[in-house]
Amino acid sequence: MDNVSGKPTKTLLHACCGPCSLEPVRVLRGEGVEPVVFYANSNIHPADEYARRLATLRAWAEGQGLEVVEGAYDPAAWEDAAGRVGDAARARFGVITHGPDPALASGGGGAAAPARNDDAPGDADPAEEARRARCRACYRLRFEEAAAWAAAHGFDELGTTLSVSPYQYTAVIREELERACAQAGIRARFDDWRPFYDEATRRSREEGMYRQNYCGCRFSDEEAAVERAERRAARAAERAAERAAHAEERAAEEEARAARRAERAAYDAKRARQRAALRALRGQGRP
Ligand code: SF4
């Protein structure tokens, strides 16, 4: 696609990680768009996790001839924007989890799963609302940085890979992307990439990419750990219930076997008595 000056559209693609970049880049290139990837993720905690995700993205992008630009890594700015919102939510609601749904994992590296974060704020409980507010602040910070960089470097539009994950708040991503782009005077290119999540999961596994098991921030790390523990406990309870059910079956079978043995023993005893009586009679009749 060309922009108004007849030049090819310059697209900056905000990327959260390598696995979530696979499908958006493939699809954009298929449409003739050559994106530049912008890694702006001050949310990621701790710093070595941030570096590991970036290294994974860079290693893959290098093989693709894809340009990757690193934004500022500023955890203090993230704490100021989103961390304090998360702290308030944590103080009020504790660790905000979504129950032991076995299909759930977190972030771009997670297993295939249906969306867990609906986009209808009115339906959500207060804890979910608080979590949504934290994530909104997190998206806002990252998109504002990306949009400002895009505008300063002559890009026409900004997209994001965040919408690959069904664990994110897709509608909020769109709102915040559009808001940041309007502020920076560029076009928002919002794509709902969720239909590509399964394929991204498959390809990232096939490529042996590092796949994180939490979204990125310190809260999501804690939430994902609690959810994993809940899933483990649910699986253990399921196994125990199965064992209990089988134990009842085994006990019933054993009872039936014991009844058959008792029946057989009673029959054998009766036959022995008959044989003894016969022998006694023959003994009496002997001359
Ligand atoms: S869960 Fe993810 S999107 Fe939400 S605040 Fe944490 S890092 Fe940001």
Side-chain angles (χ1 to χ4, degrees), residues 43 78 134-135 138-139 142 168 215 217 220:
N43 56 314
W78 186 86
R134 181 191 82 206
C135 294
C138 178
Y139 302 147
R142 291 188 277 169
Q168 300 287 346
C215 184
C217 67
S220 62

Side-chain angles (χ1 to χ4, degrees), residues 17 41 105 123 131 161-162 185 191 200 210:
C17 62
N41 298 300
D123 297 340
R131 192 177 187 278
T161 66
L162 280 178
D191 294 279
Y210 165 60

Side-chain angles (χ1 to χ4, degrees), residues 147-155:
W149 194 92
H153 292 80
F155 283 82

Side-chain angles (χ1 to χ4, degrees), residues 55-261:
T56 302
L57 172 65
R58 281 199 194 284
W60 166 74
E62 203 178 310
Q64 299 291 314
L66 183 71
E67 185 180 349
V68 175
V69 175
E70 182 185 6
Y73 181 50
D74 190 349
W78 186 86
E79 289 294 340
D80 194 41
R84 62 186 177 78
V85 181
D87 281 331
R90 177 79 172 74
R92 187 165 170 213
F93 300 106
V95 180
I96 304 169
T97 66
H98 301 284
D101 182 336
L104 297 180
S106 296
R116 70 174 173 182
N117 296 325
D118 73 20
D119 280 323
D123 297 340
D125 65 27
E128 182 66 23
E129 280 301 300
R131 192 177 187 278
R132 188 191 305 263
R134 181 191 82 206
C135 294
R136 180 185 288 280
C138 178
Y139 302 147
R140 182 169 295 183
L141 179 80
R142 291 188 277 169
F143 293 158
E144 282 183 353
E145 181 191 348
W149 194 92
H153 292 80
F155 283 82
D156 301 299
E157 60 183 19
L158 174 69
T160 181
T161 66
L162 280 178
S163 55
V164 169
S165 170
Y167 305 106
Q168 300 287 346
Y169 299 99
T170 312
V172 181
I173 290 171
R174 181 175 201 152
E175 286 166 17
E176 290 302 323
L177 184 72
E178 289 174 351
R179 182 185 174 281
C181 288
Q183 200 170 281
I186 58 168
R187 202 164 53 236
R189 184 195 163 115
F190 174 79
D191 294 279
D192 184 350
W193 298 114
R194 285 177 296 179
F196 297 92
Y197 180 75
D198 288 351
E199 181 61 6
T201 301
R202 189 195 67 74
R203 284 183 61 201
S204 58
R205 284 198 176 121
E206 190 177 87
E207 301 219 9
M209 280 176 142
Y210 165 60
R211 294 163 42 79
Q212 64 272 8
N213 61 9
Y214 65 103
C215 184
C217 67
R218 58 190 166 90
F219 300 107
S220 62
D221 191 6
E222 186 182 31
E223 289 159 2
V226 170
E227 284 172 359
R228 282 193 297 275
E230 287 174 345
R231 287 197 297 276
R232 277 197 300 275
R235 282 196 295 268
E238 206 175 299
R239 282 196 299 271
E242 266 173 34
R243 275 197 303 275
H246 289 148
E248 275 176 29
E249 273 171 33
R250 280 196 299 274
E253 282 166 11
E254 181 50 42
E255 205 174 307
R257 273 196 297 274
R260 284 196 297 274
R261 277 197 302 272

